[in-house]
Amino acid sequence: MKVLVVGGGGREHAILRALARSPQQPELLCAPGNAGIAEEARCLDVGAEDVDAVVGAARDEAVDLVVVGPEAPLVAGLVDALEREGVAAFGPSGEAARIEGSKLHAKELMNEAGVPTGGHTVLRSREEALDQISCASYPAVLKADGLAAGKGVIICASETEAREAADVFFTERRFGDTQVVIEEFLEGEELSVLALCDGENVLPLAPAQDYKRIGDGDEGPNTGGMGSYSPVPGFDRAETERIADIVHRPVVETMKRRGTPYHGVLYAGLMLTEAGPKVLEFNCRFGDPETQAVLPRLRSDLLALCLASREPGGLAGLDAGFGEDWAVTVVLASAGYPESSSKGDVIAGLDEASAVEGVEVTHAGTARRNGDVVTAGGRVLNVTGLGPTAADARRRAYDAAQLIGFEGRQMRSDIAARAVDSEAMTTEGRS
């Protein structure tokens, strides 16, 4: 088979590697890819968000399947456009992808499906925002209604901070011309559960935890994600299925009833509150950087699962098997991220890091210039350590990450620390 992966980040690099392990031995292409992906797949000079160009490239290359990585082309209707041209695609339709494209739409869908989530109010203007802010409870969360690359969320500890956030959304228009959702601040521990869907069935993958803030101890502004790990202590297959029963399956059933069946990956970002799991957000694609920790542990054929997800009821009776190993992913970001990014800085140590046993290095924002690999985005590289324990995987990830250097490199030092602590406590309890 010939498979085209759309996107050029760490998530897409991880997807390509998982597809390469398929017994079907597909020929792999990527649009547009990056410096690391180019070493493992043929890259096409096509932007991921250029729907017409992607459709044209898929048709010209006579690909058998297109796997769409990022959310923007999904929300823009890339899957619909491909299917109209007779090209098979993995991912939701544009209408189904609105579950990520609009926070308000997602809230309405959850309400209809009976899925637990935080209370919310819609703000349509700065004046309306200031009225609501004055009577809100704090802390509170303000979110851009549309896509914002994981950065359109501001957590406000006070009314003063909320007023400043209102200016960011409505005066600066940092995230475009958007409505804003102000919602209840949920306390607890976060969990990410990705599930494959075929319009009827839901097949949850191994859960993961990610780290959204730029700094250690969850300090600083939100990013697209600074690290992740999988599995998550306390969430075995039975518990993950229970979450899918509460969160994913009601949504899939509701969307089928609405006539907009959901095919592809449905990502649920959850807060584990004292009242049970509540949805923070839904995404219409593989999470980033969760995918970089989840897919290296997948033992099933990802290509077969993607093909089955396209068919109504195609996942019935199938399984997603995972190894017993742990995976810890550390993100290396460029100077200025998340407010900006430094491009063109030469990256050293890639070969040495990739040679470390039990380590996978995936490229996110990289390019090649004059024979060197250089930075080309905010999140530059993902270093994933694999091992029999959380401590082993974490040590390998950080040992390898320390071998990589570039100007202004940013890296959190506490990724998976709590998983290691939890593991140690469990071991002590058994002894």
Side-chain angles (χ1 to χ4, degrees), residues 159-226:
E159 181 179 338
T160 299
E161 291 185 10
R163 288 177 177 273
E164 293 171 355
D167 284 333
V168 168
F169 289 113
F170 293 111
T171 304
E172 287 183 37
R173 297 188 183 275
R174 189 179 300 173
F175 306 103
D177 188 11
T178 180
Q179 298 183 106
V180 174
V181 176
I182 181 170
E183 64 180 38
E184 171 190 6
F185 178 80
L186 300 176
E187 294 191 69
E189 194 167 327
E190 289 193 40
L191 183 74
S192 301
V193 179
L194 291 72
L196 298 174
C197 308
D198 63 11
E200 300 173 6
N201 300 295
V202 171
L203 182 61
L205 304 180
Q209 281 196 339
D210 78 328
Y211 293 72
K212 291 185 173 66
R213 300 292 191 96
I214 187 67
D216 286 358
D218 291 327
E219 295 292 331
N222 265 2
T223 72
M226 290 299 292

Side-chain angles (χ1 to χ4, degrees), residues 123 135 139 376 413:
L123 311 176
C135 56
S413 65

Side-chain angles (χ1 to χ4, degrees), residues 122-142:
V122 183
L123 311 176
R124 296 175 177 83
S125 67
R126 183 176 182 275
E127 293 69 28
E128 194 173 310
L130 295 179
D131 286 343
Q132 292 292 333
I133 283 168
S134 64
C135 56
S137 298
Y138 292 94
V141 183
L142 274 68

Side-chain angles (χ1 to χ4, degrees), residues 65-88:
L65 179 69
V66 176
V67 177
V68 186
E71 62 274 18
L74 289 169
V75 173
L78 176 56
V79 168
D80 311 76
L82 288 164
E83 297 283 355
R84 283 196 297 270
E85 292 294 321
V87 180

